Amino acid sequence: MAASSAHSFANYPSLQDASVIVTGGASGIGMEIVRAFAGQGSRVAFLDFDVDGGRLLAAELQDGGGRVQFEPCDLRDIDALRRAVAAVAEAHGPARVLVNNAARDDRHSWEDVTPEFYDERIATNLRHMFFAIQAVAPGMIAAGGGSIINLGSDSWWRAGGGFPVYTTAKAAVHGLTRGMARDLGPHRIRVNTLVPGWTMTERQKRLWVTPSGLAAQLAAQCLPDPIEAVYVARMALFLASDDAAMCTANNYMVEAGSI
């Protein structure tokens, strides 16, 4: 079922002109999130180490009239992350919305994990989320509120194997969300976890989707259709909007009923 032909999606007036930061926005789910915010008239900036992909997306959306800023950034470098957030604030104003999307679910065997690999995977999939929150929170506090959306994963809920450091990091995202929701809540900053199921991005289809694997996934879901990134992006819009004003410290699942 094609989302564009089957559904009429909502428009959120509260996202018009909102300053938004998306990490890992050059491809996959992140790209769809960037597109979705641009379509709402937000001032959207995205951070990614894929320079070519980031520039192409920014040029495409700017040609379409969007106010889009691409900041090349390796999120494992926290000083670079802080500089990128500062550059976005200078261009678009302090972020009202942060979508902590960036992650890589590269497969690996538990027997082969070294301390160095473990640390690098945690830096890739978890550490930058905290420091992005730390970087944007002062501006949100000064503005009187904001929304932070951390991307989780259904993989650890389903006891998925084959990438143990990834599932460790993604499980930890929920602790980050809950703790920061408590700390930032008095400032009317909401913090939630958006939990996608197995989403059919180009990377997933290129590397890991097989006919048998997809059939098993669809059999596990309550709904019969593959999960497309656009549906994850639409949940991000809701959580960012004023419609979700009383939603915080919680998990919002887009996994077609597979857990």
Side-chain angles (χ1 to χ4, degrees):
M1 180 183 295
S4 59
S5 62
H7 301 292
S8 179
F9 289 133
N11 184 65
Y12 295 97
S14 60
L15 297 179
Q16 179 73 37
D17 294 323
S19 177
V20 178
I21 294 177
V22 180
T23 67
S27 62
I29 290 172
M31 175 185 286
E32 288 302 319
I33 292 173
V34 171
R35 290 185 192 279
F37 278 105
Q40 297 287 318
S42 302
R43 291 169 285 161
V44 57
F46 65 102
L47 284 50
D48 206 298
F49 63 12
D50 179 0
V51 175
D52 292 339
R55 288 176 175 164
L56 283 172
L57 178 61
E60 171 200 322
L61 295 176
Q62 287 163 356
D63 288 345
R67 290 171 293 174
V68 178
Q69 177 181 356
F70 170 54
E71 287 291 330
C73 180
D74 185 336
L75 295 164
R76 294 169 296 186
D77 181 340
I78 301 305
D79 287 338
L81 167 59
R82 289 168 171 158
R83 289 193 297 270
V85 170
V88 171
E90 183 175 351
H92 286 175
R96 176 183 147 192
V97 177
L98 168 66
V99 184
N100 268 323
N101 163 77
R104 289 183 69 87
D105 60 347
D106 300 303
R107 276 43 172 181
H108 54 272
S109 171
W110 63 267
E111 297 99 330
D112 298 331
V113 172
T114 64
E116 294 77 16
F117 178 84
Y118 186 97
D119 289 346
E120 189 278 331
R121 290 290 90 185
I122 293 298
T124 295
N125 293 312
L126 176 65
R127 186 180 66 163
H128 61 83
M129 289 191 177
F130 172 81
F131 286 102
I133 293 171
Q134 187 186 64
V136 304
M140 290 184 179
I141 291 170
S147 176
I148 296 168
I149 303 160
N150 299 323
L151 270 286
S153 169
D154 75 336
S155 57
W156 69 273
W157 295 76
R158 300 178 66 183
F163 42 15
V165 189
Y166 175 80
T167 52
T168 297
K170 285 301 185 180
V173 170
H174 296 265
L176 174 63
T177 289
R178 299 276 291 173
M180 295 307 299
R182 178 63 66 183
D183 287 343
L184 296 178
H187 304 287
R188 296 184 178 85
I189 298 171
R190 300 177 290 107
V191 190
N192 289 292
T193 305
L194 198 172
V195 185
W198 194 16
T199 306
M200 298 293 107
T201 64
E202 289 304 314
R203 183 170 187 263
Q204 296 297 313
K205 289 186 281 190
R206 184 178 73 252
L207 295 177
W208 297 301
V209 176
T210 63
S212 62
L214 180 57
Q217 172 66 27
L218 296 180
Q221 296 177 184
C222 295
L223 297 172
D225 303 307
I227 301 166
E228 302 294 340
V230 64
Y231 300 115
V232 184
R234 299 308 304 188
M235 180 62 79
L237 293 182
F238 168 73
L239 292 173
S241 75
D242 287 356
D243 294 58
M246 287 294 109
C247 299
T248 197
N250 230 316
N251 306 313
Y252 291 83
M253 322 296 277
V254 185
E255 38 64 75
S258 60
I259 297 176

